[in-house]
């Protein structure tokens, strides 16, 4: 760069001398093999040449897998899981991870060179970000291996088995570390496939793993293209799938895994908003914008690719941004001065070009700095689009290149609306000096990571992952570890219903809730009196049901013994309607079906048969209720749920009667009441138990906090029509979600009567919407509905479950379904609840803020 001087003094030449790193440090070999069962082996596929995207020269030949190699790798991982990895002590496992971390640190310079040669990213980034962060992930997870019981997933969380992992080309070594380290720490073995264009650094990692003497088969690395990735994730020998890549492929994977019961996490694309307010420190914000979109050539899922600037400072920001971009150095990634390196592949370059051309064609104004672009290799200059509208493809689609779309806003609400106006939800940035605005924006933005006055910060302790179609599951921190553990903690010792029917059933419940044998005696002692009073009262009412309670529920009005006679009053027949938005509309279908309840099915009623339109209305009501319910205080939500429990208690006899007066029914109603009390008490503890401060490196404050997912569509279990229903609804709404639930088809009376309880409680209309009818008819509309964020498939089995899981993949919905092999436990609602049902519908949001002066470089001042 040459600075222009106003006087006649000779201009100073600030041009940097080239400072290339030596490619020889990478010690590249001519050919690389795959790593299976602790040996470097040839695959059955054809060799491919990995090329240097900065020169288009071949770097090395790489052997690739055939389908049979996937079988071999999965078999090696299974054997290692069964014979060694699950048998050695957790502390020893940790030491292996520690060895790998040390190995990465020792070969850091070599790894950085290999990464830059193979990927095209600037050596400065490989050296300062990718490699050290990869080592840090192994160090961090080494420490977890023997502390899993403290991770918040129950007393003895178990490994899942064999993890099948597929990673992309943008951070090859770092993504490998994000995947392998938590899997191993949790006790799983791994088969991992890198992207076809960037296999080299993970094959160097294989050498480090071999040098660490990791038992054979614990980590297996197979190379190849998407077909091998597909074979891996669909392999029947895999217990857990972890994928990072495009949303399209993520959707395909979710759909193909429907019905398998396999645990899956998806880290997909993004279209992050980087929001600059007029009170922001503009110079630092400009650095953050540059870092947000040009780091790694914009090949970053969380890249700040949409800049939202407050209108009053838009000109200033644009001007300063352009002045800064002009100084960026594009070129040889091996040069330590380079800021913007090579695009990873010819295909990706074509994608970026084509989407950028669309931007111009749709009317946006394109600007690039006058920077020379090398003749060879895949390069794309930093590009800024202004005059962008939200409907343009460059504002909606992930470009995955150094292309920034600039939009403006006037008010914070407009900024939030625009930022959230995307199917993605991976990350966001906020630039402002106002602390309260930072926290307000952080909570309003539907994104898994929010950086305030900084951008693109990563740390192994801080959870990272998306909302909405950016995928589900987290990587890093406690939540990331949970993705590799069997965290289904809903199966402590069972309460015997028969035994609990005797006075003292609350003792059994309380003891089971404590889930500790030693606590049973204590619980009995503490609750003895209360049990006598409470259950005695209940039993009395249940033995002598109050028939007046039946008058409103379509009862025939006579008991089995009473013979019909001409003087008998015929009860008014009742048709139960749906419960939507706090009101009781008829089904749009106009159809009903007959349901019965009570002893000998004496109670008969017509129940609405919900339709597609009803499902849509219910989703609209649930969406409308979401904002107020999720932003009400945890204390208030707790109070509302306690109140529902109180009201249910008040109508206990009616529900016992409805259910049929078997000895179990009193217990079931009691358990349903107590379940509500249990979850009411959770509302104000979720943040403390599932969130926390992250001790990240550097001068930053970072915390992770749970947030509700949104609208959850649920299918209540067919059996256990009250307790099952309450056990499904309560954990969903506890954290602020709203729900549309399809009641038990054959026994809907408890649900429709519960709707009456809800309608007269303090629960705002729309938080819980209850549909009756055939789940097979209604549920597919909910599973494919764009405004439903998650599914609870507790009551869906077999073909219906598979169909719904497949439909959920269309918009990457989170799905809670019973774990394979544990069906009985998960369906036995008399068991004390764990936390899995609540966690299924929580998003973990991580918020970052510099601690000290607002500065990207340091931030050590005050
Ligand atoms: P993909 O999602 O296709 O690739 C990611 C990984 O998945 C690669 O290892 C790939 O193999 C593998 N893969 C491809 N198809 C399947 C499949 N059906 N089943 C299992 N694994 C599969 O991303 P692309 O590389 O094609 O990039 C396309 C676009 O995706 C980019 O332009 C960008 O927008 C986005 N992307 C987003 C990423 C993110 O982190 N959010 C990361 C990468 C891309 P192989 O590459 O060898 O074919």
């Amino acid at each position: 760069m040459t600075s222009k001087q106003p006087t006649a003094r000779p201009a100073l030449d600030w041009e940097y001398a080239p400072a290339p790193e030596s490619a020889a440090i990478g010690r590249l070999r001519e050919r690389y093999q795959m790593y299976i069962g602790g040996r470097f082996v040839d695959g059955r596929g054809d060799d491919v040449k990995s090329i240097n995207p900065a020169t288009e020269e071949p770097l090395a030949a790489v052997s690739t897998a055939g389908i049979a190699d996937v079988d071999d790798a999965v078999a090696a991982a299974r054997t290692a899981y069964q014979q060694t990895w699950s048998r050695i002590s957790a502390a020893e496992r940790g030491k292996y991870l520690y060895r790998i971390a040390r190995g990465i640190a020792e070969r850091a310079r070599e790894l950085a060179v290999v990464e830059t040669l193979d990927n095209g990213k600037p050596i400065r980034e490989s050296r300062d970000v990718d490699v050290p962060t990869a080592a840090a992930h192994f160090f961090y997870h080494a420490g977890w291996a023997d502390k899993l019981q403290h991770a918040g997933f129950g007393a003895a969380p178990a490994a899942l088995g064999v993890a099948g992992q597929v990673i992309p080309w943008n951070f090859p070594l770092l993504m490998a570390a994000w995947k392998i380290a938590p899997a191993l720490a949790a006790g799983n073995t791994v088969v991992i496939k890198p992207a076809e264009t960037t296999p080299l650094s993970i094959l160097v990692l294989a050498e480090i793993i071999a040098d660490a003497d990791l038992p054979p088969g614990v980590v297996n690395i197979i190379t190849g293209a998407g077909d091998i990735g597909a074979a891996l994730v669909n392999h029947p020998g895999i217990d857990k799938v972890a994928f990072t890549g495009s949303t399209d492929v993520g959707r395909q994977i979710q759909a193909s895994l429907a019905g398998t019961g396999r645990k899956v996490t998806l880290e997909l694309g993004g279209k992050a908003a980087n929001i600059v307010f007029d009170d922001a420190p503009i110079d630092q914000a400009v650095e953050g914008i540059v870092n947000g979109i040009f780091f790694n050539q914009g090949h970053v899922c969380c890249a700040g690719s949409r800049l939202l600037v407050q209108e009053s400072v838009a000109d200033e920001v644009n001007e300063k941004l352009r002045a800064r971009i002009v100084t960026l150095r594009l070129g040889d990634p091996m040069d330590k001065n380079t800021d913007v390196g090579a695009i990873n592949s010819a295909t990706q370059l074509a994608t970026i070009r084509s989407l950028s051309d669309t931007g111009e064609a749709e009317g946006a104004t394109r600007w690039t700095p006058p920077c020379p672009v090398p003749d060879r290799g895949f390069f794309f200059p930093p590009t800024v689009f202004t005059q962008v509208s939200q409907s343009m493809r460059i504002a909606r689609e992930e470009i995955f290149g150094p292309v920034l779309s600039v939009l403006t806003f006037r008010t914070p609400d407009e900024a939030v609306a625009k930022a959230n106006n995307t199917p993605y939800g991976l990350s966001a940035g906020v630039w402002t000096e106002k602390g309260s605005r930072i926290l307000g924006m952080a909570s309003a933005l539907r994104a898994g990571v929010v950086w305030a006055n900084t951008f693109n910060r990563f740390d192994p302790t801080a959870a990272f992952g998306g909302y909405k179609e950016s995928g589900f599951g987290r990587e890093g921190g406690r939540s990331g570890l949970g993705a590799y553990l069997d965290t289904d903690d809903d199966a402590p010792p069972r309460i015997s219903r028969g035994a609990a029917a005797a006075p003292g059933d609350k003792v059994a419940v309380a003891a089971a809730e404590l889930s500790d044998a030693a606590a049973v005696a204590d619980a009995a002692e503490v609750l003895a009196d209360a049990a006598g009073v409470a259950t005695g009262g209940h039993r009395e009412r249940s033995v002598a049901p109050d028939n007046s309670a039946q008058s409103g529920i379509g009862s025939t009005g006579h008991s089995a013994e009473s013979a019909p006679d001409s003087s008998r009053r015929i009860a008014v027949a009742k048709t139960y309607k749906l419960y939507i938005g706090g009101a009781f509309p008829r089904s749009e279908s106009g159809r009903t079906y007959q349901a019965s309840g009570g002893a000998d099915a004496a109670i008969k009623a017509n129940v609405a048969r919900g339709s597609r339109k009803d499902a849509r209305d219910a989703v609209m009501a649930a969406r409308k209720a979401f904002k107020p319910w999720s932003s009400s205080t945890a204390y208030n939500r707790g109070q509302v749920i306690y109140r529902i429990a109180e009201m249910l208690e008040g109508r206990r006899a009616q529900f016992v009667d409805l259910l049929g007066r078997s000895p179990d029914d009193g217990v079931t109603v009691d358990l349903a009441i107590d379940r509500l009390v249990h979850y009411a008490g959770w509302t104000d503890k979720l943040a403390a138990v599932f969130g926390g401060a992250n001790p990240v490196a550097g001068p930053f404050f970072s915390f992770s906090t749970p947030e509700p997912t949104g609208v959850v569509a649920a299918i209540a279990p067919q059996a256990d029509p009250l307790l099952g229903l309450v056990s499904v609804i309560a954990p969903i709404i506890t954290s602020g979600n709203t729900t549309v639930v399809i009641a038990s088809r054959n026994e809907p009376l408890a649900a429709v009567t519960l709707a009456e309880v809800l309608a007269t409680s303090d629960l705002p209309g729309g938080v819980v919407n209850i549909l009756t009818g055939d789940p097979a008819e209604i549920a597919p509309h909910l599973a494919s509905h764009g405004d439903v964020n998650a599914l609870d498939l507790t009551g869906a089995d077999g073909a219906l479950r598979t169909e719904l899981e497949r439909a959920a993949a269309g918009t990457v919905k989170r799905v809670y379904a019973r774990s394979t092999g544990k069906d009985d436990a998960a369906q036995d609602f008399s068991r004390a609840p764990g936390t899995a049902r609540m966690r299924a519908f929580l998003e973990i949001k991580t918020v970052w803020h510099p601690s000290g002066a607002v500065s990207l470089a340091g931030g050590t001042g005050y």
Side-chain angles (χ1 to χ4, degrees):
M1 185 185 75
T2 307
S3 64
K4 288 205 171 87
Q5 302 292 335
T7 67
R9 286 166 60 195
L12 290 174
D13 182 3
W14 290 106
E15 197 52 62
Y16 292 92
E21 181 64 295
S22 162
I25 295 167
R27 300 196 298 163
L28 284 181
R29 287 190 274 110
E30 277 182 18
R31 184 166 181 274
Y32 287 80
Q33 291 173 297
M34 307 191 304
Y35 185 62
I36 297 178
R39 293 188 311 123
F40 288 92
V41 295
D42 281 339
R44 293 165 175 91
D46 296 334
D47 278 13
V48 295
K49 287 239 168 6
S50 199
I51 63 157
N52 180 345
T55 60
E56 300 176 54
E57 301 282 346
L59 289 168
V62 179
S63 172
T64 67
I67 298 297
D69 297 310
V70 182
D71 294 336
D72 290 353
V74 173
R78 174 66 55 196
T79 305
Y81 177 68
Q82 288 170 342
Q83 295 183 358
T84 53
W85 202 237
S86 61
R87 295 188 180 192
I88 66 171
S89 79
E92 295 303 299
R93 274 206 321 267
K95 285 195 275 180
Y96 279 115
L97 272 101
Y98 184 78
R99 277 190 186 176
I100 298 170
R102 275 269 170 266
I104 294 174
E106 279 158 17
R107 293 175 70 173
R109 199 161 168 207
E110 172 192 347
L111 279 165
V113 168
V114 171
E115 195 73 314
T116 285
L117 290 173
D118 202 23
N119 171 281
K121 62 175 68 200
I123 186 73
R124 198 158 42 84
E125 291 177 8
S126 311
R127 184 193 65 195
D128 297 349
V129 181
D130 295 56
V131 178
T133 317
H137 267 267
F138 278 99
F139 279 124
Y140 173 73
H141 286 97
W144 265 126
D146 61 353
K147 300 171 195 66
L148 299 178
Q149 70 274 27
H150 300 297
F153 304 114
L160 294 165
V162 177
Q165 307 174 320
V166 176
I167 55 173
W169 43 262
N170 54 343
F171 292 92
L173 181 71
L174 185 55
M175 287 303 106
W178 279 28
K179 295 277 182 291
I180 297 173
L184 263 47
N188 305 278
T189 56
V190 158
V191 181
I192 185 167
K193 187 201 92 70
E196 191 177 24
T197 58
T198 52
L200 300 187
S201 58
I202 194 173
L203 292 172
V204 176
L205 179 67
E207 294 171 10
I208 292 169
I209 287 170
D211 289 346
D213 278 335
L214 193 74
V218 172
V219 172
N220 305 274
I221 300 170
I222 55 174
T223 46
D227 57 332
I228 295 301
L232 175 57
V233 298
N234 290 305
H235 197 287
I238 294 289
D239 302 297
K240 145 89 192 171
V241 170
F243 171 78
T244 297
S246 61
T247 294
D248 279 348
V249 173
R251 264 192 210 107
Q252 283 171 35
I253 291 175
Q254 189 181 3
S256 69
L257 293 177
T260 62
R262 232 167 274 161
K263 201 163 174 174
V264 56
T265 41
L266 302 173
E267 201 268 274
L268 310 176
K271 193 74 191 173
N274 204 355
I275 305 167
V276 180
F277 283 96
D278 57 6
D279 68 338
I282 299 291
D283 291 339
Q284 284 95 334
V286 165
E287 288 304 311
I289 297 164
V290 167
N291 171 274
I293 187 62
F294 302 125
F295 171 61
N296 201 26
Q297 295 74 246
H299 301 330
V300 186
C301 46
C302 50
S305 53
R306 284 185 300 151
L307 174 63
L308 300 185
V309 197
Q310 197 152 19
E311 214 169 75
S312 49
V313 289
D315 290 344
E316 181 188 356
V317 169
N318 270 326
E319 203 176 302
K320 287 189 165 172
L321 182 60
R322 288 179 188 206
R324 177 67 178 91
I325 292 174
V326 166
T327 69
L328 292 178
R329 302 167 63 86
L330 175 139
D332 180 8
M334 290 291 278
D335 189 326
K336 292 168 197 152
N337 298 314
T338 294
D339 299 301
V340 181
I343 301 303
N344 180 247
S345 64
T347 317
Q348 188 60 26
L349 181 60
T351 305
I352 298 170
R353 282 185 176 148
S354 136
L355 271 166
S356 301
D357 291 347
T358 319
E360 256 177 319
E362 287 185 322
T365 306
R366 177 181 189 149
W367 177 85
T368 53
C371 73
V373 176
D375 311 330
R376 298 189 65 202
F378 314 129
F379 289 91
F380 193 88
T383 298
V384 177
F385 279 102
T386 47
Q387 306 298 319
V388 177
S389 72
Q390 292 190 79
S391 59
M392 290 179 185
R393 285 183 66 192
I394 52 168
R396 290 186 287 119
E397 294 180 29
E398 187 176 41
I399 300 176
F400 227 60
V403 181
L404 180 68
S405 299
V406 185
L407 297 101
T408 56
F409 66 91
R410 288 187 181 166
T411 63
D413 283 349
E414 189 188 347
V416 169
K418 283 186 167 162
N420 288 342
N421 183 17
T422 164
Y424 295 115
L426 192 52
S427 65
V430 180
W431 295 85
T432 171
E433 290 280 32
K434 280 198 183 112
S436 58
R437 179 175 280 166
I438 287 172
L439 295 176
M441 290 295 290
S443 103
L445 291 166
R446 301 293 292 160
V449 184
V450 179
W451 287 290
N453 295 329
T454 183
F455 208 93
N456 273 342
R457 298 281 162 190
F458 309 95
D459 192 282
T461 67
F464 180 91
Y467 283 35
K468 304 194 282 184
E469 293 186 28
S470 289
F472 45 76
R474 293 291 178 268
E475 303 201 272
R478 238 164 11 118
S479 328
L481 197 62
Y484 288 95
L485 288 168
D486 180 350
T487 59
D488 198 352
D489 58 357
D490 278 8
R494 188 181 187 285
I495 306 160
S496 156
R497 292 188 188 210
D505 52 30
K506 294 218 172 190
V507 177
V509 177
E513 306 263 1
L514 291 169
S515 83
D516 176 352
V520 172
D522 292 351
E525 206 177 296
V526 172
L527 296 175
D529 295 341
V533 174
T535 57
H538 286 166
R539 295 181 88 231
E540 201 175 58
R541 276 181 275 148
S542 104
V543 167
D546 174 3
N547 265 352
S548 66
Q550 295 294 322
S551 59
I553 53 171
S555 164
T556 54
H558 60 81
S559 69
E561 318 72 78
S562 62
D565 65 54
S566 55
S567 62
R568 182 171 60 81
R569 178 178 182 274
I570 306 295
V572 177
K574 178 166 180 180
T575 296
Y576 280 98
K577 300 183 203 162
L578 305 166
Y579 180 55
I580 298 177
F584 292 92
R586 289 184 197 286
S587 167
E588 175 271 350
S589 70
R591 295 179 302 169
T592 60
Y593 67 104
Q594 199 176 54
S596 57
D600 302 325
I603 304 167
K604 300 213 183 318
N606 286 332
V607 174
R609 187 161 167 180
S611 67
R612 176 184 176 181
K613 169 81 167 50
D614 301 321
R616 289 214 309 261
D617 290 349
V619 172
M620 267 171 66
R623 172 58 59 200
K624 197 168 161 211
F626 176 67
K627 196 167 178 200
W629 179 243
S630 59
S631 51
S632 65
T633 65
Y635 175 79
N636 278 346
R637 281 202 305 278
Q639 291 297 310
V640 169
I641 300 173
Y642 279 125
R643 177 80 186 131
I644 300 171
E646 285 171 19
M647 296 189 64
L648 200 54
E649 183 89 54
R651 294 172 73 163
R652 180 181 182 279
Q654 179 186 359
F655 277 94
V656 172
D657 219 36
L658 255 182
L659 294 177
R661 291 188 228 172
S662 88
D664 264 1
D665 291 334
V667 182
T668 299
V669 178
D670 292 344
L671 285 172
I673 297 165
D674 293 353
R675 188 91 357 130
L676 286 162
V677 171
H678 172 78
Y679 283 112
W682 260 114
T683 55
D684 52 6
K685 293 162 196 74
L686 295 169
V689 175
F690 302 116
N694 309 312
V696 298
F700 295 94
F701 177 60
S702 167
F703 62 91
S704 292
T705 185
E707 288 197 345
T709 301
V711 175
V712 181
I715 303 181
Q718 296 308 300
D720 239 341
L722 177 68
L723 176 59
L725 177 71
V726 166
S727 301
V728 164
I729 291 175
I732 292 175
I733 64 170
T734 294
S735 57
N737 297 294
T738 57
T739 185
V740 177
V741 60
I742 307 173
S744 164
R745 187 195 184 289
N746 297 331
E747 299 184 70
L749 296 187
V752 290
T753 309
L754 182 70
E756 295 177 351
V757 173
L758 299 179
T760 49
S761 75
D762 300 329
L763 188 75
V767 173
V768 173
N769 303 275
I770 299 179
L771 301 178
T772 46
D774 186 352
E777 254 174 50
I778 310 169
H781 302 302
L782 294 170
S784 59
H785 196 298
D787 212 17
V788 169
N789 303 100
L791 295 183
D792 181 333
L793 300 185
T794 301
D797 279 316
L800 178 60
R801 170 175 165 173
T802 305
E803 180 193 345
L804 298 178
E805 286 192 24
R806 200 168 286 139
T811 51
V812 198
K813 292 181 175 67
R814 290 97 185 93
V815 176
Y816 176 85
R818 286 139 48 185
S819 314
T820 313
K822 288 193 185 171
D823 292 9
D824 289 338
Q827 289 296 91
D828 183 351
F829 297 100
S830 66
R831 288 171 187 264
T835 58
R837 286 179 177 277
M838 287 187 298
R839 280 186 279 110
F841 306 116
L842 284 178
E843 302 285 354
I844 300 297
K845 175 180 280 178
T846 298
V847 181
W848 288 69
H849 190 280
S851 167
V854 178
S855 149
L856 281 172
T860 48
Y862 295 96

